[in-house]
Amino acid sequence: MKVIKSGGLLISCCMLCGCLSGGVNYTRPTQANNSKSNSVVIEKSKETIWKELIPALGKEFWVINNIDKDSGLINISYNGDPEKYIDCGTIDSSVSNARGDRKYVFPASKAYEKYEAVANNNLIFVERKMTLEGRINLIVQEITTNQSQVSANSKYVVTKSFIARDVMGHSQSDTETISFNSGQGSSFKQGQTECYATGELEAAVLGLLKSK
């Protein structure tokens, strides 16, 4: 994995907090080494799977948006913590001043992180948020009278936002959204962050059938 240096956040500040040093490292994700399949064959009829799947989805955290039994389509969505379902690499920030040494290491897909960073020789206080909206099309197709295939195709909509403040009280904020499909990824323009699907979102849905 390649590690790149990030200059951090561009906020002007004229005050240094003691003998200040540190920096931010960003480690890119291992680019969707995703061997998880987004389809599964079940030894049951389409009708049986349909009767089991709809109630199972309703009991979990999925929101059912649309159902078309004739075509075998179920559209569902997930909104929330992205950490389990996407890989955005790792952020490593270190700060050293009169208050001592601090180090922050966390997944860049983490839903919320509050940390310090050094940017342009200034101490910066950062609040960073990541959210995921997963939109999933489930397709149930009959292979034989007692065998069916269920496929899960997802669109990932990922939003990254932050607010950063310096010791003088100046602040800067930004919000950016990217999108990509199952097995793919994309990059934010700000901050060099890359995100890729892990396949866990599709696996969570298909796992409802495997457990039956």
Side-chain angles (χ1 to χ4, degrees):
M1 290 184 290
K2 184 179 180 181
V3 178
I4 58 176
K5 299 289 183 178
S6 170
L9 307 167
L10 303 177
I11 296 179
S12 297
C13 178
C14 299
M15 180 184 294
L16 296 178
C17 297
C19 298
L20 179 66
S21 64
V24 179
N25 292 337
Y26 173 63
T27 304
R28 291 188 175 103
T30 52
Q31 266 188 284
N33 217 347
N34 178 11
S35 59
K36 296 182 182 296
S37 174
N38 67 335
S39 67
V40 62
V41 174
I42 305 293
E43 300 300 321
K44 294 179 181 179
S45 69
K46 178 182 176 180
E47 182 68 24
T48 299
I49 289 176
W50 196 267
K51 288 180 179 179
E52 293 178 348
L53 184 56
I54 302 300
L57 289 168
K59 291 178 182 178
E60 298 291 331
F61 47 79
W62 312 102
V63 175
I64 301 175
N65 304 311
N66 186 44
I67 296 174
D68 186 343
K69 188 175 181 180
D70 290 339
S71 65
L73 171 66
I74 307 170
N75 179 264
I76 61 176
S77 60
Y78 164 84
N79 286 274
D81 190 342
E83 187 173 342
K84 184 177 180 179
Y85 304 117
I86 58 174
D87 183 1
C88 300
T90 305
I91 294 174
D92 180 345
S93 180
S94 60
V95 174
S96 180
N97 63 3
R99 289 173 46 216
D101 300 332
R102 280 93 70 201
K103 191 173 182 64
Y104 306 86
V105 182
F106 57 93
S109 59
K110 190 173 181 180
Y112 177 80
E113 183 70 26
K114 189 174 182 179
Y115 65 102
E116 298 172 280
V118 176
N120 300 327
N121 295 318
N122 301 309
L123 181 62
I124 308 297
F125 305 95
V126 185
E127 288 187 66
R128 185 180 186 276
K129 297 179 181 179
M130 293 280 283
T131 61
L132 168 65
E133 180 183 359
R135 304 169 186 172
I136 307 166
N137 281 332
L138 282 171
I139 305 292
V140 183
Q141 295 175 304
E142 190 169 83
I143 300 173
T144 67
T145 54
N146 291 307
Q147 188 182 68
S148 303
Q149 178 174 284
V150 183
S151 302
N153 298 297
S154 305
K155 181 177 182 180
Y156 295 74
V157 180
V158 185
T159 299
K160 175 171 68 75
S161 61
F162 75 84
I163 182 167
R165 298 178 177 87
D166 63 19
V167 294
M168 297 295 290
H170 303 124
S171 65
Q172 176 179 332
S173 62
D174 185 68
T175 299
E176 186 180 354
T177 299
I178 59 174
S179 63
F180 48 91
N181 297 323
S182 296
Q184 299 178 355
S186 186
S187 301
F188 290 96
K189 294 179 181 179
Q190 300 293 329
Q192 301 174 314
T193 307
E194 300 176 10
C195 295
Y196 294 90
T198 63
E200 291 292 341
L201 190 64
E202 296 83 356
V205 183
L206 297 176
L208 296 175
L209 291 168
K210 292 180 179 179
S211 62
K212 294 292 183 180

